[in-house]
Amino acid sequence: MSFLPYVVAVWVCVIGLYGIVTSRHLIHAIICLSVVQSSTYVLLLAIGYRKDYAAPVFIDIPRNAKAVDPVVQALTLTDVVVGGAVTALLLAIAVQLDKHLGTLDPDELDPLRD
């Protein structure tokens, strides 16, 4: 069993979190959040991968053949869809903030300002 995909997932997550913490622009922070979420794709696929197992399509393989669990692949696909929806929503909010307040710098956004 190789731990390389797990290490890659952790490093991609750490790089994305570093970008979120050091970001001075909301669009940059949203992109870094997408990078963090992409680390979950790598992690889920690493969990579901099994060496020498067949794909979870049971048409042409024998009944006793070992197959990869399709639930992990379904969770990854769901994660991709949710990630796209969250990114689109956050970008729409950022556009509205820029339109109404004229800035995307987190330090200049004042929650009590009309």
Side-chain angles (χ1 to χ4, degrees), residues 92-108:
I93 291 171
V95 167
Q96 292 300 315
L97 279 173
D98 188 41
K99 190 184 294 185
H100 291 291
L101 300 177
T103 185
L104 288 175
D105 186 7
D107 288 338
E108 294 180 13

Side-chain angles (χ1 to χ4, degrees), residues 69-85:
D69 187 11
V71 174
V72 179
Q73 295 174 5
L75 285 173
T76 304
L77 182 60
T78 304
D79 195 11
V80 170
V81 172
V82 169

